[in-house]
Amino acid sequence: MEPSTMLKAPLHSIRSMPRTVFNHLFAVVYTIALLFLLYHHAFKLFSSTTTFPSFFISISMFISDLLLAFFWFTAQGFRIRPVTREVFPENLEEMIDKKDFPDIDIFICTSDPYKEPPIDIVNTALSVMAYDYPAEKLSIYVSDDGGSELTLFAIMEAAKFGAHWLAFCRENKVLDRSPAEFFRLQETENSKTEKIKIMYEDMKRRIENVVENGKVAQYITNQQEHEAFSPWTKTFTRRDHPTVIQVLLESGKDIDVSGHSMPNLVYVSREKSSTSPHHFKAGALNALLRVSALMTNAPIILTLDCDMFSNNPRTPYNVLCYFFDNSIRPKLAYIQFPQCFYGLNKNDIYSSEMQRWFQINPKGMDGLTGPHCMGTGSFFMRRALFGGPSAMLQPEMPQLSPDHVVSNPIRSQHILELAKIVAGCNYEFQTNWGEQIGFRYGSLVEDLYTGYRLHCQGWKSIFCQPQRAAFLGNIPISLLDALNQVKRWTVGFLEFSFSKYSPLTFGIQAMGGMSLDYIQYGFLPLWSVSITIYTFLPQLTLLNGIYIFPKVTSPWFFLYAFLFLGAYAQDCLEFLFSQATLRRWWSEQRIWLIRGLTCYLFGTLEYLMQILGIATHGFNVTSKAVDDEQSKRYHQGLFEFGVPSPIFLPLATAAIINFAAFLYGTMLVLKGGNTEDVFVQLFIAGFGVLNCLPIYEAMIIRTDKGKMPTKTTITSIIIACGLYLAAFLMLQI
């Protein structure tokens, strides 16, 4: 154990996980097995393929297993030295006066009031405004990339309600400081609670009415509010609108109902033009980085998604346990908290928790250079966004430097005018923003890409996972939304994998072994190749009486069995060690197979079309709006299909072909066929059928609105028949 050494009492500790030695031993054995498998493929390919069909089958299976071996090998980067950390914030206040605590700027990003309900943004903002932290040291910046007056209205309502909510939380020592979460969990009520609840419900009703009607005029009550909404008297679109900056609360001047200071609250809608690149969320974060530098320039920056509210009012104290350690701070880029979610159904059918990405893998990375950036729940050191640890890169304007000392109040006219300039759509032209300064451009997964680039520069990061989740977020409850979200990430993964900063080239030179982790993430979409081959090829050959795997009595069969069972057993054990359930692990492995046939496949195709200059749908925000009927089905554990989508076609086709192959193989066995020859292909088809049970239910049994659309089912049957016919004709060559 390595306790912090800067102060008298430890503020944090770190220890290696017990399974590290087992990981190393298993990796050696598994690597030897993989080498034997590849030798078997190579021997078979060059000695037994005398016809085109046999060559096609052999080369396809070789490519599939080679890719699976590649992904297993790169995944070992997460298993080299997994660690766990512990913080001791109770020691912090005993040694450091609150007046010496650093300022914190909090960035909340949103872009569409219809897909990201403004009431969610309000709850997120209020939850961090109510942090158990000196209010004069907190500044909340809300970025509205949609340029919507509906979002501004909601934030103005949050500022008014906040004067009551912050005082209520302080006086009653409230732990759940998102109003929605507090009232959802509240079991006992008193007069104070009932009063604040009525105020919240009134605010919520006003916001939802405005969103439904699309107009705020009826709720404007004074001249100041009228002036705030004056920009919207002009023509606004999501792609073309001017900069709007509104300081809604100023610390030291605005107080709550108990007389305590409130934190700064600033609304920012940067200028956007259809003729200028805006770089999506990374561009919005850089605009906030510049605006906040002029107004507050806090050394710590927290980035939050608009639906990811604070679940622990003392989270900043966990961050300070590392911030005040001089042995860590000089190279510390960010502290990452895991993404956790509320509203998950019992078995997490879409694996929205993403246990491996958000909890297991980060612990493995934490033993090396540090976890990847997740884009939300990330506490950045502002200095880390301006060059490497040993040499700071100065921005083009001195006031934007992390060393700049702010002397003007945030409402001063000079600051507001300057803020509008740095939030302009052409400000970054011929500067280092997005390339060497700030959040990095070049990938739709700007969080992963920025963290990767910081690690390449020599910065480190820390994974902080306290017992009580620091933040809780919303999750998509329809399969289409869940898959589209990962499809967008898929495009981003490939963008940075095939850039000049590819982890295969630049990353290996900059980070060595740590680059394995980023190679795993970056090339993950190619997982679709192996899954597609294993989903269709063994089944179609079985249906045509061709056996492509070793007999059960062959020594090579035991090699296949060990590789399959070994990988699955290790994966399952890692989940169980992370306090996950067996049913949730099953959901996780199933959704990985589903992603291989859907979002990874379609995301890869979209990336290729993008490279070829063919127009695609582009960036889409994942909807966080909730439909009551969908929610009911989700919590019953039913997959939500509902609308016809091309992304469902490979899934439904795979379900049909695997069922047909399993049925045919079973009939062969029952009729006295050669079980030794057919066993492996029958097992693969049966495994596919088992994973496709929710799809069969949606195609055949269900009658609700979330069932598989009839059009999709019919189209999939036609495609399945076409694939069988194509396989039959090819095998006749």
Side-chain angles (χ1 to χ4, degrees):
M1 187 169 293
E2 304 166 18
S4 56
T5 56
M6 172 193 166
L7 301 167
K8 296 178 181 178
L11 294 180
H12 62 86
S13 66
I14 180 174
R15 63 182 178 86
S16 295
M17 300 183 74
R19 64 174 179 265
T20 304
V21 175
F22 169 78
N23 285 345
H24 296 170
L25 293 174
F26 183 76
V28 172
V29 176
Y30 203 87
T31 300
I32 294 171
L34 282 175
L35 291 174
F36 273 109
L37 177 67
L38 296 178
Y39 164 78
H40 173 66
H41 274 301
F43 180 81
K44 187 176 180 181
L45 184 63
F46 292 110
S47 65
S48 306
T49 53
T50 56
T51 63
F52 173 74
S54 63
F55 175 78
F56 176 80
I57 292 169
S58 295
I59 194 68
S60 296
M61 297 307 298
F62 176 67
I63 291 171
S64 176
D65 285 349
L66 187 63
L67 282 172
L68 290 177
F70 169 78
F71 287 123
W72 178 86
F73 177 75
T74 55
Q76 299 320 295
F78 302 116
R79 293 168 175 147
I80 293 173
R81 188 178 178 252
V83 298
T84 56
R85 295 180 185 269
E86 188 176 1
V87 290
F88 309 107
E90 62 275 9
N91 295 334
L92 193 66
E93 290 183 87
E94 296 177 7
M95 295 175 285
I96 302 170
D97 197 296
K98 281 191 175 184
K99 65 180 177 59
D100 296 322
F101 283 8
D103 291 359
I104 301 176
D105 288 342
I106 301 173
F107 296 171
I108 302 172
C109 294
T110 184
S111 62
D112 189 329
Y114 295 103
K115 289 188 175 181
E116 298 172 325
I119 191 62
D120 288 350
I121 307 167
V122 166
N123 277 287
T124 297
L126 288 168
S127 71
V128 291
M129 287 168 63
Y131 264 153
D132 187 9
Y133 198 80
E136 67 276 8
K137 294 180 178 291
L138 285 176
S139 300
I140 292 85
Y141 295 85
V142 178
S143 168
D144 176 18
D145 237 21
S148 173
E149 60 181 334
L150 309 180
T151 303
L152 174 57
F153 175 79
I155 302 304
M156 291 175 72
E157 288 291 305
K160 297 174 187 175
F161 176 70
H164 300 272
W165 178 248
L166 269 60
F168 175 82
C169 290
R170 187 184 307 106
E171 292 168 6
N172 296 278
K173 295 181 171 55
V174 171
L175 190 57
D176 299 292
R177 300 202 175 179
S178 159
E181 185 71 357
F182 173 77
F183 295 123
R184 185 178 72 85
L185 299 175
Q186 187 69 18
E187 294 180 358
T188 58
E189 293 188 0
N190 52 43
S191 58
K192 289 183 178 179
T193 303
E194 188 63 29
K195 182 180 178 181
I196 197 77
K197 184 176 182 180
I198 291 171
M199 294 176 65
Y200 172 73
E201 293 295 339
D202 286 345
M203 176 190 68
K204 181 180 178 182
R205 185 169 54 253
R206 286 194 299 274
I207 292 172
E208 291 177 345
N209 285 343
V210 163
V211 172
E212 184 179 351
N213 299 325
K215 297 178 180 179
V216 301
Q218 60 181 316
Y219 291 101
I220 297 177
T221 58
N222 56 52
Q223 183 62 29
Q224 185 179 359
E225 291 181 357
H226 179 77
E227 291 175 359
F229 289 103
S230 61
W232 279 272
T233 58
K234 304 172 184 178
T235 303
F236 259 52
T237 68
R238 288 190 65 210
R239 289 186 60 83
D240 291 271
H241 55 77
T243 300
V244 178
I245 299 177
Q246 298 286 343
V247 178
L248 304 177
L249 293 173
E250 183 176 1
S251 181
K253 292 188 176 180
D254 291 297
I255 58 174
D256 62 27
V257 294
S258 64
H260 289 79
S261 176
M262 296 184 73
N264 296 315
L265 179 60
V266 184
Y267 169 90
V268 179
S269 179
R270 60 177 172 143
E271 181 187 20
K272 291 176 77 174
S273 170
S274 55
T275 60
S276 300
H278 55 85
H279 302 292
F280 307 109
K281 185 180 176 181
L285 287 170
N286 279 337
L288 289 184
L289 190 61
R290 294 190 293 271
V291 170
S292 65
L294 296 172
M295 293 184 168
T296 49
N297 208 32
I300 299 177
I301 296 168
L302 166 61
T303 60
L304 276 181
D305 285 346
C306 63
D307 62 332
M308 187 69 68
F309 62 80
S310 168
N311 189 53
N312 186 346
R314 293 183 65 82
T315 292
Y317 291 82
N318 293 336
V319 174
L320 298 188
C321 287
Y322 297 107
F323 181 85
F324 282 114
D325 187 339
N326 284 337
S327 67
I328 290 177
R329 186 173 166 186
K331 286 193 172 184
L332 180 60
Y334 58 89
I335 297 166
Q336 180 65 60
F337 287 82
Q339 286 196 37
C340 301
F341 304 92
Y342 67 95
L344 294 168
N345 64 14
K346 182 180 178 182
N347 297 324
D348 189 15
I349 56 174
Y350 304 142
S351 190
S352 300
E353 192 175 33
M354 295 190 177
Q355 182 89 207
R356 179 157 295 284
W357 279 3
F358 295 151
Q359 297 189 41
I360 298 174
N361 288 353
K363 289 179 181 177
M365 300 176 79
D366 203 16
L368 301 175
T369 303
H372 63 278
C373 175
M374 300 176 193
T376 184
S378 311
F379 284 84
F380 283 90
M381 305 300 113
R382 185 182 289 264
R383 163 66 184 85
L385 297 169
F386 294 82
S390 58
M392 185 169 74
L393 189 60
Q394 289 291 347
E396 64 293 335
M397 186 184 291
Q399 297 94 319
L400 303 182
S401 170
D403 293 337
H404 170 64
V405 178
V406 175
S407 56
N408 294 314
I410 63 175
R411 278 195 173 115
S412 70
Q413 195 61 33
H414 170 67
I415 292 296
L416 290 174
E417 289 176 359
L418 204 55
K420 288 184 178 181
I421 292 173
V422 300
C425 62
N426 293 317
Y427 177 81
E428 295 178 351
F429 184 63
Q430 292 186 333
T431 69
N432 287 316
W433 287 94
E435 177 60 28
Q436 298 296 331
I437 292 179
F439 297 87
R440 306 305 200 261
Y441 302 152
S443 172
L444 282 178
V445 285
E446 77 296 319
D447 43 11
L448 181 77
Y449 187 54
T450 297
Y452 164 71
R453 293 283 302 278
L454 292 176
H455 283 152
C456 287
Q457 286 183 309
W459 292 102
K460 296 182 180 295
S461 57
I462 285 173
F463 187 61
C464 186
Q465 189 178 20
Q467 215 167 22
R468 180 180 173 90
F471 304 97
L472 289 176
N474 202 350
I475 45 98
I477 61 171
S478 82
L479 182 60
L480 184 61
D481 283 339
L483 295 178
N484 277 335
Q485 182 181 52
V486 178
K487 187 184 80 169
R488 184 174 73 245
W489 296 348
T490 297
V491 177
F493 291 155
L494 293 172
E495 283 175 336
F496 105 80
S497 294
F498 292 100
S499 71
K500 65 179 180 178
Y501 296 107
S502 172
L504 264 179
T505 53
F506 185 85
I508 289 176
Q509 293 176 359
M511 292 187 292
M514 176 69 182
S515 63
L516 284 176
D517 300 335
Y518 285 107
I519 291 171
Q520 164 81 191
Y521 284 134
F523 291 92
L524 196 57
L526 299 183
W527 169 264
S528 61
V529 175
S530 296
I531 295 305
T532 302
I533 291 173
Y534 264 99
T535 298
F536 293 106
L537 188 57
Q539 294 80 348
L540 289 170
T541 51
L542 174 60
L543 287 168
N544 283 278
I546 305 295
Y547 309 124
I548 62 176
F549 288 98
K551 293 181 179 182
V552 174
T553 54
S554 168
W556 294 111
F557 166 79
F558 295 100
L559 179 66
Y560 274 95
F562 169 74
L563 290 170
F564 175 81
L565 295 175
Y568 259 72
Q570 185 180 32
D571 187 69
C572 181
L573 287 173
E574 286 179 335
F575 265 73
L576 296 180
F577 288 148
S578 295
Q579 311 304 314
T581 65
L582 197 60
R583 294 293 296 271
R584 287 198 173 188
W585 168 77
W586 179 259
S587 295
E588 172 83 6
Q589 69 82 33
R590 178 175 59 202
I591 206 69
W592 273 93
L593 299 176
I594 289 174
R595 288 173 187 155
L597 290 173
T598 55
C599 46
Y600 290 153
L601 181 61
F602 278 75
T604 302
L605 292 174
E606 185 171 316
Y607 172 74
L608 292 174
M609 292 170 67
Q610 183 177 297
I611 293 297
L612 296 172
I614 302 172
T616 61
H617 292 296
F619 180 84
N620 288 303
V621 177
T622 303
S623 176
K624 276 84 174 185
V626 178
D627 176 88
D628 290 339
E629 287 299 314
Q630 280 188 3
S631 181
K632 183 179 178 181
R633 290 191 291 271
Y634 172 74
H635 287 287
Q636 289 173 343
L638 299 175
F639 272 51
E640 183 72 26
F641 294 94
V643 297
S645 172
I647 207 169
F648 294 146
L649 288 174
L651 204 55
T653 303
I656 293 166
I657 287 180
N658 276 267
F659 180 77
F662 181 70
L663 191 62
Y664 178 76
T666 303
M667 289 173 61
L668 284 179
V669 172
L670 293 176
K671 286 181 179 180
N674 194 338
T675 306
E676 291 183 357
D677 288 327
V678 78
F679 180 80
V680 177
Q681 282 160 276
L682 180 60
F683 174 81
I684 293 172
F687 189 70
V689 168
L690 190 61
N691 277 285
C692 287
L693 289 179
I695 302 169
Y696 299 132
E697 183 182 22
M699 293 171 71
I700 302 168
I701 301 173
R702 288 168 53 187
T703 57
D704 56 73
K705 291 182 179 179
K707 69 174 185 177
M708 182 75 76
T710 304
K711 179 181 177 182
T712 302
T713 301
I714 294 172
T715 306
S716 299
I717 293 172
I718 295 171
I719 294 173
C721 292
L723 286 174
Y724 171 76
L725 182 60
F728 174 78
L729 293 174
M730 188 192 77
L731 292 170
Q732 303 306 310
I733 299 175

